[in-house]
Structures are given as structure tokens and as C-alpha cells.
Amino acid sequence: MDPIRIAVVGLGKIARDQHLPAIAGNAAFSLAATVSPHDPGREGVAHFASLGDLLYGGPAIDAVALCTPPQVRYDLAALALKRGVHVFLEKPPGATLSEVVALRERADKVGVTLFAAWHSRFAAGVAPARAWLAERTIQKVSIVWREDVRVWHPGQAWIWEPGGLGVFDPGINALSILTHILPRPVFLEDAALSIPENRAAPIAAELRFRDTAGADIHMDLDWRQTGPQSWNITVETDAGTLKLSSGGAVLTLPGGTEHNEDLEYPGLYSRFANLIRGGRSDVDIDPLRLVADAFLRGRRESVEPFND
């Protein structure tokens, strides 16, 4: 079977650190081109300043991975779908729920694959956590997701603009895990968003959810953490406590702790290849819907200005 010819659009940190190595390590794909108006690309790989230049004048491709900021992703995805090209959406899949739903409907209509790629769901501890919790009664959940924005997103102005999500850019990773491992639906009850005076998006947030059985879920997000970073989800159940740490890579159950290799992006690309070969899409909007609910219902609190 011939490899899937894929182009990577947007060559920032996530593309270079994760996407390009994952593609290189998966025989189902071949890197056909890269696209960026600001980056010269990789030696030996066709490079274009825009996706239009590639689609209308470049080598033939079967799929694109969109690693751009979410605010510009809809038009790029729509253009690719129009040309019958499969689309991998880096998280979050879009700047709004409506545009992601529109893309999903368009992909179904033209018969190509659209994949909303929640990478944290592929962390090593997530699948066994989901399986263990399926047979338990959830009593309480605590999420602490704190990191240093200066380390992970230095000088990235787009992330502070409307649609950039602010602290929910990392926080949505936790929500993607939460909505995947809990056996019942989750909804927001209350939220407080801390927004710097000079920014449009929050730098911290405190949220309270509950599931449809009444289990309380508390979430603490902060982008001002220095020193060790915190990416932890703790679930108290009738059979003891489960903890996912290191962003889901480490799973602790009442019987002990499992440390496994980080295979998030290789897992994503295996999933994408399987979806393409099977003629299917995977566009789960639940994590983005919870973020939208936070902006819809959350109280906004002005805090001191933030500068990189």
C-alpha cells in the first residue's frame, strides 16, 4: 500500500518537536511538503509560502496536518477539504465550535477524513485509566494544570488574542483527558477567569464541573507557575484513588504506579492513518465545548498586566 503523502502546514515548535518526527517514524506516511510564510522549511522537502500555492501548484498530496494558530485554521481546512485532501487538526481544532461543526459536515459531504487530534488522550496512562474507571463510582475529581507560559509559548501573541484560548490552550489538554476517561458526561457549574489588563484571554482560571451523577470536579489552571510544572488529575472512587500525572504519562492506581514511554504523537498519526484507510472521521468537540462554556458562564476578573 502506498504511503499517505502528507504536508505539514505551520512550522512552529509543536510541528518541529512532535509532528515531523512522528511522520518520519510512521511508514504509513511520507512527508511531501511543508507550508509556512515565515520558515524556510526542511532541506530536501518541497516548501511553499501558502497552502494555496501547494494545492494549486505543488506536488500531489493526500493529507495535511494543520499546526497553525486556531484563528486561521478554518479557511485552511476548508480549502484542503475542497480539494479532497484529508485534514489533521492540531488542538484546539478551531477558534469556535461552529466552525469545527461546519468542517465536520463538509468532510462528511465530500467523503474525506477530518481528525480533531487531542494528543493528551494518547498519553500512556490515559487508556488504562479509562478502563479502570469504567467499573467504578466516581466521587470527586481534582485537576491541577499549572505551567509557565514563558517556557512553553514565549512571545506568541496570538495565544492572548480572542480565539487563542489563553490558559485554556494547555487546560484543554486536561479537559480532553477528563471527557475521555470519565464514564458520564460532564458540564460546567461555575468558573472564574483571571484576565490580565493588557490581554484578551485568561492567564488563570478556577472552574467547577460535575458529572451527571453529581460527582464534583474542581479544576485549577494557571500559566504563572515557575519551577516544576503540574499536570495532574486525581479521581477519588469507591475503590480508591486514581492519579494521572505528567500530563497523563504516569498512572497511579491503588495497586501501584505505571511509568510508560511518551507515544502521544506517534499514536495520533497511527490513528489518523487508520481513519484515512477506513474512510472515517473523528471530530470530538466535547473539550472545546467545555472551554466555550467557561467563557460563556465564567466571571471575568481583571489582574495585573502580563508581559513576556
Side-chain angles (χ1 to χ4, degrees):
M1 187 176 295
D2 292 335
I4 299 161
R5 298 164 297 183
I6 191 168
V8 174
V9 182
L11 291 176
K13 179 176 173 58
I14 195 68
R16 290 190 171 276
D17 290 354
Q18 301 291 350
H19 288 263
L20 295 178
I23 291 168
N26 190 325
F29 292 94
S30 65
L31 181 63
T34 57
V35 176
S36 173
H38 310 297
D39 190 288
R42 300 187 70 183
E43 185 176 355
V45 178
H47 182 74
F48 298 85
S50 73
L51 180 58
D53 290 345
L54 167 60
L55 292 176
Y56 292 99
I61 62 169
D62 306 302
V64 293
L66 299 184
C67 305
T68 64
Q71 295 98 321
V72 301
R73 206 171 289 155
Y74 173 82
D75 288 338
L76 296 169
L79 178 60
L81 293 175
K82 182 179 179 180
R83 299 285 293 180
V85 172
H86 307 293
V87 177
F88 177 121
L89 298 170
E90 177 58 87
K91 66 87 189 174
T96 70
L97 285 166
S98 297
E99 66 186 36
V100 179
V101 171
L103 290 173
R104 181 173 63 189
E105 293 175 353
R106 181 61 181 166
D108 289 344
K109 185 175 182 179
V110 300
V112 298
T113 293
L114 182 67
F115 180 33
W118 301 106
H119 67 81
S120 290
R121 288 183 174 176
F122 289 79
V126 172
R130 175 185 168 98
W132 192 82
L133 290 173
E135 301 177 357
R136 309 291 186 263
T137 299
I138 311 301
Q139 298 172 339
K140 186 178 181 181
V141 181
S142 173
I143 302 170
V144 178
W145 221 257
R146 290 172 161 251
E147 63 183 44
D148 187 347
V149 65
R150 290 186 174 94
V151 171
W152 300 100
H153 295 281
Q156 296 182 17
W158 64 266
I159 213 161
W160 298 105
E161 297 298 325
L165 299 191
V167 75
F168 286 102
D169 178 80
I172 204 169
N173 294 334
L175 293 175
S176 73
I177 295 174
L178 180 77
T179 54
H180 190 63
I181 65 174
L182 292 193
R184 296 183 179 86
V186 171
F187 61 91
L188 181 77
E189 291 207 307
D190 186 55
L193 313 181
S194 300
I195 302 176
E197 293 176 357
N198 61 335
R199 304 290 186 174
I203 195 169
E206 185 173 0
L207 307 101
R208 188 165 60 87
F209 305 91
R210 66 181 173 93
D211 72 6
T212 53
D216 182 70
I217 303 163
H218 179 264
M219 185 176 200
D220 172 16
L221 301 177
D222 204 314
W223 243 355
R224 299 165 295 193
Q225 179 101 324
T226 58
Q229 312 284 275
S230 302
W231 300 296
N232 303 317
I233 299 176
T234 304
V235 185
E236 297 179 19
T237 79
D238 59 336
T241 298
L242 173 150
K243 183 175 182 180
L244 282 167
S245 54
S246 299
V250 179
L251 172 63
T252 302
L253 295 171
T257 299
E258 298 179 9
H259 299 263
N260 293 296
E261 184 181 359
D262 176 14
L263 295 174
E264 290 185 14
Y265 279 82
L268 285 175
Y269 275 93
S270 292
R271 173 67 171 161
F272 190 35
N274 288 337
L275 289 170
I276 292 172
R277 302 300 193 201
R280 295 173 291 126
S281 289
D282 180 356
V283 189
D284 179 13
I285 60 174
D286 283 349
L288 185 59
R289 180 158 42 207
L290 291 177
V291 172
D293 287 349
F295 280 97
L296 181 66
R297 191 170 184 179
R299 302 183 308 279
R300 287 158 173 77
E301 302 171 350
S302 182
V303 297
E304 63 182 6
F306 174 83
N307 296 293
D308 288 335

